[in-house]
């Protein structure tokens, strides 16, 4: 994945900017970079987003449903969407601390 808008495929892994593994069981979802969407988030998500550095906020994966509702599942759970951070594993590997890749 990149920062362009992409449709999420049911059950398939979408690797978002090498930082997140995102999967969905809900049809009609699209994902894109968060930049410019903060005002469309629910209040709890906006509060969590405000606590992050601006450079991180704009690249967070943001899900848009078929009705145009916006959510940031990396900050707040979203039914039917699973987000797993890849950051710690990649940092560990970059530091040379991985002796063998998992099979």
């Amino acid at each position: 994945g990149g920062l362009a808008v992409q449709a999420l495929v049911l059950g398939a892994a979408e690797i978002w900017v090498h930082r997140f593994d995102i999967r969905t069981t809900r049809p009609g979802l699209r994902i894109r970079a968060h930049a410019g969407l903060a005002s469309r988030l629910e209040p709890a998500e906006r509060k969590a987003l405000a606590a992050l550095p601006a450079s991180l906020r704009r690249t967070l994966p943001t899900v848009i449903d078929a009705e145009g509702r916006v959510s940031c599942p990396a900050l707040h759970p979203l039914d039917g969407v699973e987000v797993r951070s890849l950051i710690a594993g990649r940092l560990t590997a970059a530091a040379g601390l991985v002796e063998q890749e998992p099979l």
Side-chain angles (χ1 to χ4, degrees):
L3 295 177
V5 177
Q6 295 177 257
L8 288 174
V9 179
L10 293 175
E14 174 64 42
I15 305 301
W16 183 256
V17 294
H18 305 287
R19 295 182 191 147
F20 299 95
D21 175 349
I22 303 171
R23 299 165 193 257
T24 187
T25 57
R26 289 177 52 188
L29 298 180
R30 295 172 292 138
I31 189 163
R32 61 161 274 191
H34 183 75
L37 296 175
S39 66
R40 294 175 56 189
L41 291 173
E42 293 294 323
E45 287 182 274
R46 280 197 307 268
K47 184 176 180 180
L49 185 69
L52 299 174
S55 59
L56 174 63
R57 292 191 296 245
R58 69 175 178 259
T59 61
L60 285 173
T62 301
V63 171
I64 304 169
D65 70 15
E67 288 79 36
R69 289 183 296 252
V70 172
S71 183
C72 186
L75 297 174
H76 191 278
L78 180 62
D79 288 341
V81 178
E82 178 185 339
V83 177
R84 185 173 61 94
S85 175
L86 302 174
I87 297 168
R90 292 184 186 274
L91 203 60
T92 301
L97 301 174
V98 176
E99 293 181 23
Q100 182 177 355
E101 293 286 328
L103 300 175

